[in-house]
Amino acid sequence: MGAAELAPLNAAALVGQLLREFLEPPRAMSCTAWADEFRYIAKGPERGRWRTSRTPYLREPMDCTDPENPVQKVVMQFATQLGKSEVLYNALFKRIHLDPVDMMMVQPTLQDSKDHSRQRFAPTARHMPDVAARLPDMRSRDETNTWQTKEIRGGATLFFAGANSARSLASKPLGFAECDEIDGYPLDVDGEGDPIALVWERMSNFPTRKLLLCSTPTLRDFSRIESEYLASDRRRYWVPCPHCGEFQLLVWGADSEHGIKWLKTDSGAPRADTAVYVCQHHGGSIDERSKTTMLHEGQWWPDLPGAQRGLVAGFHLNKLHSPNGGKSWAMLGEDWAKARDAARAGDVSRLKT
């Protein structure tokens, strides 16, 4: 076959490729399913393929980030090291791969944002070929690939911004945005107002807009994430007792008959290594080894179903839900005992933590 005959075939193949890449509807796939198939964790203690089964309580928050889900704002008030930032990255990478729109990730400061872009986003994207194919060459240094701006194939752009810089928050309209550790944001940025409100305003033209807000809370009544959570449908994670099957919330329980309990030494000091959870229904002890099953069978139940017309989904999770292999109930007991002793001596900083 001559060159003249090959040319139409090559042109047809090219047209077909362009049609498939830019005109086909995005592949229908939940964020959870996408993460289990494509997500790779490049840094941290659990490098390798993502497994939602490791942190099953993240399934519902992740799936609320899907474009098909009617929720417009996802609020996560989580303790540290429970995976809230991974929800942000799973949702972001899925959007880049399957349904790119103009997007923004906001950190408390520009330096935090720069660190995330270079130290978390870029190394992770390189480990996922389907995501990397949508992004400019990570080694290039032109305007399509800076730490602050990433051009996505198909005409969308990803921006990295700092809540302390109004200029970095000023961009074209956004269809998808993520604000991380919002309790570290200023109340007013450069005299232009609240940074979260500035981001939300830039999303007003998108009927399917999606804003993700997450943070570990700071001081009660002064916490941004607490305020956002209280304005949501207030979902909490209920888990079943492995003995009686009744669902309950995992609470510290210092002033009640249920919750975390432990034996004491002869001097009255807590023996944190004996920590168990006392069921509020039948009063029996739950060993921490049962937590994996409890988390897998847990369910998110809203305190205010239908609040905000169902458009704001709020999730609250404390450290007692840390998966086995993370911070144990015994370790939390030790921390609490040290903090209590320090508070009695006049230092309340540990109790705040």
Side-chain angles (χ1 to χ4, degrees):
M1 185 177 295
E5 296 171 287
L6 282 173
L9 293 177
N10 291 338
L14 178 60
V15 170
Q17 179 182 344
L18 292 174
L19 289 174
R20 286 192 299 273
E21 185 169 349
F22 296 111
L23 296 183
E24 280 190 356
R27 179 178 171 186
M29 199 176 196
S30 71
C31 185
T32 297
W34 184 90
D36 283 331
E37 182 173 344
F38 294 102
R39 176 68 198 281
Y40 186 91
I41 301 174
K43 291 192 173 185
E46 299 190 28
R47 298 183 185 184
R49 302 295 305 183
W50 169 268
R51 295 174 295 137
T52 304
S53 59
R54 173 73 174 142
T55 50
Y57 50 77
L58 297 181
R59 182 183 307 274
E60 189 166 322
M62 284 197 294
D63 290 347
C64 281
T65 71
D66 291 329
E68 302 80 14
N69 192 297
V71 167
Q72 291 188 351
K73 187 184 291 186
V74 181
V75 179
M76 290 177 287
Q77 179 178 309
F78 278 26
T80 58
Q81 301 300 308
L82 290 179
K84 60 185 181 297
S85 292
E86 300 303 336
V87 173
L88 302 187
Y89 275 103
N90 286 343
L92 181 67
F93 285 127
K94 184 212 168 188
R95 286 293 185 114
I96 292 172
H97 179 200
L98 298 182
D99 191 26
V101 293
D102 286 335
M103 299 179 279
M104 178 177 285
M105 174 174 268
V106 186
Q107 299 293 336
T109 69
L110 269 179
Q111 184 60 52
D112 293 332
S113 188
K114 185 176 183 178
D115 292 343
H116 266 265
S117 176
R118 290 182 171 178
Q119 298 172 17
R120 291 197 65 178
F121 177 85
T124 304
R126 281 195 290 266
H127 280 85
M128 297 182 293
D130 297 275
V131 173
R134 286 281 192 176
L135 296 168
D137 186 345
M138 292 294 179
R139 295 167 296 183
S140 68
R141 296 188 178 183
D142 59 25
E143 67 277 3
T144 68
N145 179 51
T146 68
W147 73 261
Q148 202 164 1
T149 303
K150 308 284 185 184
E151 297 293 337
I152 305 169
R153 294 188 67 184
T157 305
L158 168 63
F159 303 95
F160 289 88
N164 65 339
S165 167
R167 182 177 180 182
S168 73
L169 297 172
S171 69
K172 52 187 170 180
L174 303 167
F176 183 85
E178 302 179 333
C179 296
D180 195 13
E181 295 299 347
I182 66 172
D183 271 23
Y185 288 16
L187 296 178
D188 188 309
V189 52
D190 298 336
E192 296 191 22
D194 177 72
I196 296 176
L198 292 177
V199 173
W200 188 238
E201 178 61 28
R202 304 201 190 293
M203 307 179 76
S204 60
N205 290 335
F206 287 81
T208 59
R209 60 184 173 172
K210 195 81 67 170
L211 176 63
L212 280 57
L213 304 173
C214 80
S215 188
T216 298
T218 49
L219 294 179
R220 179 171 293 175
D221 300 328
F222 294 92
S223 166
R224 277 181 174 274
I225 196 66
E226 178 192 38
S227 176
E228 294 285 353
Y229 175 76
L230 292 177
S232 73
D233 59 8
R234 304 186 194 178
R235 305 182 195 193
R236 297 186 291 172
Y237 202 63
W238 294 70
V239 296
C241 171
H243 305 300
C244 70
E246 294 291 333
F247 278 76
Q248 60 198 290
L249 293 167
L250 293 182
V251 297
W252 187 243
D255 301 319
S256 64
E257 295 182 355
H258 67 280
I260 297 293
K261 305 297 176 185
W262 47 72
L263 300 177
K264 294 183 179 180
T265 64
D266 293 338
S267 64
R271 287 180 51 193
D273 60 308
T274 65
V276 295
Y277 195 90
V278 176
C279 173
Q280 73 176 80
H281 298 286
H282 79 296
S285 297
I286 303 172
D287 188 273
E288 190 163 15
R289 288 174 297 183
S290 300
K291 186 165 58 173
T292 297
T293 300
M294 295 165 69
L295 292 180
H296 274 282
E297 297 177 356
Q299 298 179 22
W300 286 104
W301 294 347
D303 290 347
L304 299 174
Q308 299 278 7
R309 296 178 292 120
L311 298 179
V312 183
F315 300 89
H316 179 281
L317 202 69
N318 64 43
K319 196 72 167 184
L320 297 179
H321 299 81
S322 181
N324 288 336
K327 200 154 195 178
S328 67
W329 292 342
M331 294 169 68
L332 291 172
E334 291 174 354
D335 288 348
W336 177 84
K338 293 176 182 177
R340 181 201 58 184
D341 293 342
R344 288 174 176 172
D347 179 7
V348 299
S349 60
R350 290 190 177 186
L351 277 180
K352 289 181 179 180
T353 303

